[in-house]
């Protein structure tokens, strides 16, 4: 069987971890035809857009993509390629498993969490108004009229929208995933005590959907409380389902529990396409140094193999990678006891070690 996959190397450390992953996936002896598509800073300079239509078309055609991270300028500059991609392809579910592998330095040896993050709305939809613009002033008057509350006149305004449709859809995804994977519990995470309308709607939608899954336990928790509980007793949790922004933040927290961003894979899944990418970003200060950990991207490749129905190959890669991590020899700096350990290997050498294990 041969698979045509859109490959977006991204920028910063993206091309290095993407290349490492491509080589590991090819070592499974499955056949891949990689349709390379550019996105991010470099293509912005060439084509005037960081997300050319050709990249979107390629994913629409192939229905599956492996993607490296892409830089998003802070403050000004272009909008996030990642947000645009998820919205354009309606990749509504962001799936981020966080599992501790033996050999990783962490205070939490038994974490096995899955974060399910809503990917299309919330404060992340990018509906924002700069302070002093005509639109910001209009909104201020509208809000004053509707609520009697005054927003400071020099405010920038961001819109948080949460719909019942998207909330139900993501919670259903979380329960279906939990059921399919034999998971025991889904926790809906929110701040409905304060954001009664928006987070309240998310919570009510979750409670409604949960009634259809009596075989999976359900609970809800405030996001601040969740943060503390995750740091104290992460093993008490299983599948977490969250609106977009909380999902983004809690994903990094969970990555920290299992050893850092170098170990946290992810997938953005919709009804018509899926894009597999690590949780981490483009870490520009490490770009081009053959230094960072390829594990998160390789594990994203493992998720892609499972999505393609290649569970045997997926298990082989995960086992080989887990062996390399457990041996602790051919691993990158972040997996060594000390970050300045001179025996740490580079991105590409760690991938070589995984490939050698696959060939044993
Ligand atoms: P980052 O995840 O790029 O890096 C933060 C730190 O995490 C790094 O300095 C490094 O210490 C560590 N790290 C990240 N990946 C690692 C790896 N593979 N191995 C070892 N250590 C690793 O976060 P940032 O610096 O906040 O963001 C940089 C850029 O990436 C920003 O422009 C941001 O918008 C973008 N970003 C993109 C995506 C994406 O493309 N999906 C996701 C997150 C951030």
């Amino acid at each position: 069987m041969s698979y045509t996959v859109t490959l977006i190397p991204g920028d910063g450390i993206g091309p290095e971890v993407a290349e490492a992953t491509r080589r590991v996936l090819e070592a499974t002896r499955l056949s891949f035809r990689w349709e390379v598509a550019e996105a991010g800073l470099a293509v912005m300079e060439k084509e005037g857009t960081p997300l050319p239509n050709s990249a979107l078309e390629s994913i629409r055609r192939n229905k599956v993509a492996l993607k490296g991270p892409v830089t998003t300028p802070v403050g000004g500059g272009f909008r996030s390629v990642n947000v645009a991609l998820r919205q354009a392809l309606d990749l509504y579910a962001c799936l981020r498993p966080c599992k501790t592998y033996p050999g990783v330095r962490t205070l939490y040896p038994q974490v096995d969490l899955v974060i399910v993050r809503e990917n299309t709305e919330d404060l992340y939809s990018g509906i924002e108004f700069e302070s002093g613009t005509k639109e910001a002033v209009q909104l201020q008057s509208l809000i004053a009229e509707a609520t009697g509350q005054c927003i400071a006149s020099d405010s920038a305004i961001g819109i948080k929208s949460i719909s019942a449709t998207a909330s139900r859809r993501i919670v259903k995804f979380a329960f279906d995933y939990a059921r399919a994977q034999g998971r025991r519990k889904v926790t809906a995470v929110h701040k409905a005590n304060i954001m009664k309308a928006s987070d309240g709607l998310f919570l009510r939608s979750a409670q409604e959907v949960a009634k259809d899954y009596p075989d999976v336990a359900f609970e809800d928790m405030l996001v601040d409380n969740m943060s503390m509980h995750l740091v104290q007793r992460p093993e008490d949790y299983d599948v977490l389902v969250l609106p977009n922004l909380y999902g983004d933040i809690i994903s990094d927290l969970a990555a920290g529990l299992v050893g850092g961003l170098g170990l946290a894979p992810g997938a953005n899944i919709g009804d018509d396409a899926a894009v597999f990418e690590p949780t981490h970003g483009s870490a520009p200060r490490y770009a081009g140094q053959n230094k960072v950990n390829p594990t998160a991207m390789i594990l994203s490749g493992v998720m892609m193999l499972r999505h393609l129905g290649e569970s045997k190959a997926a298990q082989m890669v995960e086992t080989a990678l887990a062996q390399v991590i457990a041996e602790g020899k051919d691993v990158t700096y972040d997996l060594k006891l000390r970050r300045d350990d001179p025996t740490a290997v580079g991105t590409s050498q760690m991938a070589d070690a995984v490939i050698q294990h696959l060939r044993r």
Side-chain angles (χ1 to χ4, degrees):
M1 179 88 185
S2 175
Y3 296 101
T4 304
V5 174
T6 302
L7 178 65
I8 302 178
D11 53 42
I13 57 169
E16 299 160 56
V17 289
E19 177 59 11
T21 303
R22 185 189 64 74
R23 291 198 295 116
V24 168
L25 294 181
E26 286 182 353
T28 61
R29 298 184 195 282
L30 291 173
S31 161
F32 294 98
R33 196 174 75 77
W34 304 102
E35 213 170 273
V36 178
E38 282 188 274
L41 278 180
V43 73
M44 171 79 193
E45 279 149 31
K46 269 192 281 173
E47 301 202 20
T49 166
L51 181 60
N53 234 345
S54 52
L56 284 175
E57 283 311 314
S58 171
I59 304 173
R60 283 198 181 101
R61 207 168 37 244
N62 300 326
K63 303 193 183 317
V64 57
L66 187 63
K67 175 183 164 296
V70 170
T71 304
T72 307
V74 175
F78 59 78
R79 261 191 76 202
S80 164
V81 166
N82 305 306
V83 174
L85 189 68
R86 293 165 196 164
Q87 286 179 347
L89 299 172
D90 198 22
L91 305 174
Y92 61 88
C94 180
L95 189 59
R96 290 179 163 172
C98 282
K99 178 161 113 181
T100 312
Y101 287 91
V104 170
R105 275 179 312 124
T106 165
L107 296 170
Y108 308 96
Q110 278 176 355
V111 177
D112 186 6
L113 280 171
V114 179
I115 314 280
V116 178
R117 164 188 176 195
E118 203 289 324
N119 236 355
T120 62
E121 51 181 31
D122 193 2
L123 280 167
Y124 248 82
S125 12
I127 305 174
E128 287 201 291
F129 303 94
E130 297 278 359
S131 111
T133 55
K134 190 176 92 215
E135 292 81 5
V137 173
Q138 277 175 346
L139 271 171
Q140 282 157 13
S141 328
L142 193 68
I143 289 163
E145 242 172 68
T147 68
Q149 287 182 336
C150 282
I151 292 180
S153 60
D154 56 353
S155 300
I157 301 177
I159 302 292
K160 168 166 170 141
S161 64
I162 302 248
S163 69
T165 306
S167 300
R168 278 199 292 265
R169 179 166 75 161
I170 196 66
V171 177
K172 187 171 179 320
F173 182 96
F175 272 102
D176 286 340
Y177 178 87
R179 206 177 243 176
Q181 303 295 320
R183 297 259 171 181
R184 65 185 196 285
K185 180 168 76 172
V186 171
T187 307
V189 185
H190 59 89
K191 188 75 184 165
N193 56 334
I194 305 296
M195 275 161 279
K196 294 182 193 296
S198 50
D199 283 25
L201 179 57
F202 179 81
L203 174 59
R204 286 192 300 281
S205 307
Q207 288 164 333
E208 280 293 305
V209 172
K211 289 183 193 150
D212 296 334
Y213 297 84
D215 49 321
V216 181
F218 173 72
E219 66 182 1
D220 70 276
M221 192 168 277
L222 295 173
V223 64
D224 38 355
N225 195 12
M226 183 84 249
S227 308
M228 186 197 71
H229 276 263
L230 281 178
V231 172
Q232 286 193 318
R233 286 195 306 275
E235 63 282 358
D236 286 359
Y237 300 94
D238 194 355
V239 177
L240 309 183
V241 60
L242 314 91
N244 207 338
L245 181 63
Y246 307 147
D248 185 39
I249 297 166
I250 294 287
S251 300
D252 272 34
L253 190 156
L257 300 176
V258 298
L261 280 167
L263 292 143
N268 300 293
I269 299 174
D271 291 335
D272 302 318
V275 175
F276 296 84
E277 63 175 349
T279 295
H280 66 71
S282 58
R285 71 190 165 112
Y286 292 108
Q289 295 179 30
N290 185 37
K291 186 169 164 106
V292 296
N293 192 342
T295 299
M297 183 89 191
I298 295 174
L299 288 175
S300 305
V302 167
M303 292 175 79
M304 183 184 88
L305 292 179
R306 293 210 166 97
H307 178 82
L308 292 171
E310 295 290 351
S311 33
K312 197 166 152 230
Q315 196 52 53
M316 275 167 51
V317 175
E318 190 177 359
T319 304
L321 182 60
Q323 282 165 348
V324 170
I325 294 172
E327 285 167 12
K329 187 165 79 65
D330 296 311
V331 295
T332 46
Y333 73 99
D334 56 315
L335 293 175
K336 293 285 186 183
L337 212 52
R338 288 169 40 135
R339 291 200 155 213
D340 58 356
D341 186 331
T343 67
V345 302
T347 310
S348 126
Q349 289 70 33
M350 185 162 169
D352 290 342
V354 177
I355 292 167
Q356 269 173 23
H357 274 267
L358 274 173
R359 289 188 176 145
R360 272 182 198 167

